[in-house]
Amino acid sequence: MSAMARKICMLGDFGVGKTSLVSRYVRNTFSDRYLTTVGVKVDSKEVIRDGRDPLKLVVWDIAGKSALDALNMSYLRGASGLLLVADGTREQTLRTAIDLLLQSRSLLSGAQAVLLVNKLDLVERWEVAPSTLVELRKTLPVIETSALSGDGVDQAFVELARSLDP
Amino acid sequence: MKDAPELADFSPEVERHIARFLFERAQPLLLEFDSAWHLINLQGDANRFGFDVDNAQAGARQLQDLFIGLSHDESVDLPFVQMPNGRSAHVHLLVAGDGYRVLLLDAQGEHDRQQAQQQTSNEASLIGYQKGKAIAQLRQIRSELEQQRARLQDANALKNALIATLSHDFRTPLTSVFGYLHLLETRVEPEPDAETRHALRAIRRNANYLFTLAENLLEYARADTRSSLLAPVETDLQAMQEDLDGMFRPLAVEQGLDFGIELERVDETTPVLDELRVRQILVNLISNAVRYTHHGEVKARLAWKDAALLIEVRDTGIGIGEDYRERVFEPFNKVGQAAGSGAGLGLSIVKRLVRQMHGTLDLQSTLGKGSRFRIVLPGLALAKPADAPLLSSDAAGGTQQRVRSVLVVDDDPDITHLLEVMLTDLGFRVRSVGEATLAVEQALANPPDVLLVDVELPGLSGNTAVFRLRAKGYRGHIVTLSATPTEEARKVALNAGANQYLTKPINIDQLARAMQRAVSAA
């Protein structure tokens, strides 16, 4: 197997836009129809990194849950990075994303994490306050994204790729 | 109860049946790899899971991605993994001594069932969340609206209080002005010189104008038009024609206009109208016509016909464009304001007054050529005196000869004096007091034929005094005088026990009729 491939997992509550973010990143497509993910979908894309070898990101789009069960844990095994996804219009999903990160630490203590606050196109309906994001940025990278418009999507995946070794 | 059976518990025949059943459902695909992950064998329907049999090695590499980061010395089970063709499969990595085996079992049916269930649940949850959010927003909006309504109610109460105060404060001094003017006009005998006549006319004209302007503002401010009380009186149209002529002719002549007010009496009956409101309509219409006509003519016509008053005011002024016909009747309209002067209030008041008097209003206008307003107001019935308590009939035989007595109750010395003069002229013997408690005492001790009491008194109000008197069995005729021209105020006064309700400013004819009615009842 290629040494330059890394597994990353999308984690977050249901309906926050994980599948849409992967579609936007990997295929540059978007559908506004909500379709629940059951199990896992695996995609991959190569990332060019400045001054370093290209990295193949193997992206695991895991079904949305508010807590990690045994099944989710089995999907997480072997992941080097986490993309935590929250929906800016539902503040509760931000707390869920943080909870999922804390739960995953028992299995993936060294995994890198980036927080994506999605649905930037609906920013006028956001419940998440800017001051909350300022506080969160002190502990992990936070990127506002829109799977619909593509804003911030590439940046989020590249940000995580940069933080991965080698 | 027995434990769940092991496979070995079943007979070989059953075992075979189960195996065949599960095999058919799972449609397994087995891929065998050597230790370097080279595909060495493939068993099963590869197409079912989207693998190209002719390029199986490429599909095999995609499968390897599933095991990135995992140690390969233990088995791995990954349920519901989406395959390259979108089909869901359970993926099992089985470690063999010399390589790896990857077993794919079809899970599409189970996936679809779970997805349908989960989709319904998630959508319900999202809708519930949005619904809760919408309800919270609606509650917030309702709360804000309630606060807004409370503020508006407060403001409205304040406005009503202000109107009541203004109404009183305008009408009371105007009562003095009109009353004393009347006295002067009737007592400058025998024929006043030209200068005095001119001065008296100027005072009347300007007092009229001031009163109309004040009434316009008060009329506009009255939120509830239903509360406005019509005051039907026998109306001298000729006097009205002369007054209006005197008010506007000098200005019209100064502008070089041909000005005239024509009066036509087809119906011989005496017109009964709300004179003040009719005058207010005419002042507004003629005032506008003179203001917006720079050459040509301004003509008005009053016709009493078929128990209705026809008012027509036409001019050769700037006219009103078709687009603005409706808007000119809106208060503070920009059309009126843009035309040069005024608050843009007059025509909205006219429209309201016409509606109050159940009349009709028609406007014809051509831009640049002039306008014609045509109003028809049905005649009113003279107000009947309210049902009075039984009056003393001791004077039934000698009413014509005996000098009648009036007790005037008013705190304003000018009004009191004016009433004293007027009532003396009408043949009454007049006593007056300035406050209600004293009036109650005097009325009981020495009952007058008529008690004329102002409502707005300091301390005990006029209505309270009337109520107390009635409660003590006082049966004399009571006329209430007030600066509040509303139906509610009238009802309150009559409910308190008054027989008649008059509003300021006092019209001498109205007062005379009211006193005549009181004496007749007595």
Side-chain angles (χ1 to χ4, degrees), chain B residues 273-333:
Chain B
L273 298 159
D274 187 324
E275 186 178 336
L276 214 57
R277 285 184 164 84
V278 172
R279 188 181 289 266
Q280 207 174 344
I281 287 172
L282 281 160
V283 168
N284 277 309
L285 290 181
I286 299 173
S287 170
N288 276 352
V290 172
R291 185 181 298 154
Y292 300 123
T293 302
H294 307 306
H295 53 79
E297 62 176 33
V298 170
K299 299 281 186 183
R301 187 164 79 96
L302 303 177
W304 178 245
K305 185 181 172 185
D306 301 331
L309 178 67
L310 167 70
I311 296 174
E312 199 174 277
V313 177
R314 63 178 194 279
D315 63 59
T316 54
I318 59 174
I320 302 163
E322 201 167 340
D323 295 347
Y324 298 105
R325 297 275 165 78
E326 291 301 318
R327 267 190 269 171
V328 292
F329 292 106
E330 291 170 7
F332 301 109
N333 65 79

Side-chain angles (χ1 to χ4, degrees), chain A residues 34 36 40 56 71 75 89 127, chain B residues 65 79-80 115 119 122 129:
Chain A
Y34 171 58
T36 305
V40 65
K56 178 182 172 185
L71 184 61
Y75 293 142
T89 69
E127 293 176 355
Chain B
D65 284 347
F80 297 114
Q115 189 180 45
Q119 181 86 13
N122 287 1
Y129 180 80

Side-chain angles (χ1 to χ4, degrees), chain B residues 385 388 391-407 423 426-429 448-451 475-479 499-500 510-522:
Chain B
L391 293 169
S392 168
S393 57
D394 59 353
T399 46
Q400 299 307 314
Q401 289 78 28
R402 189 167 68 81
V403 175
R404 297 293 184 159
S405 62
V406 179
L407 176 58
L423 289 166
L426 290 171
F428 286 87
R429 189 176 68 249
D449 291 299
V450 184
L451 177 64
R475 303 176 78 184
H477 199 93
I478 300 177
V479 178
N499 301 98
Q500 296 186 62
Q510 267 182 292
L511 180 67
R513 277 193 296 275
M515 298 312 289
Q516 181 61 45
R517 211 174 291 137
V519 169
S520 302

Side-chain angles (χ1 to χ4, degrees), chain A residues 133-159:
Chain A
L133 300 184
V134 170
E135 285 304 306
L136 283 170
R137 283 197 170 94
K138 293 174 183 171
T139 54
L140 81 168
V142 179
I143 296 170
E144 295 91 342
T145 60
S146 167
L148 186 148
S149 68
D151 281 334
V153 179
D154 278 5
Q155 184 194 346
F157 282 86
V158 170
E159 176 76 26

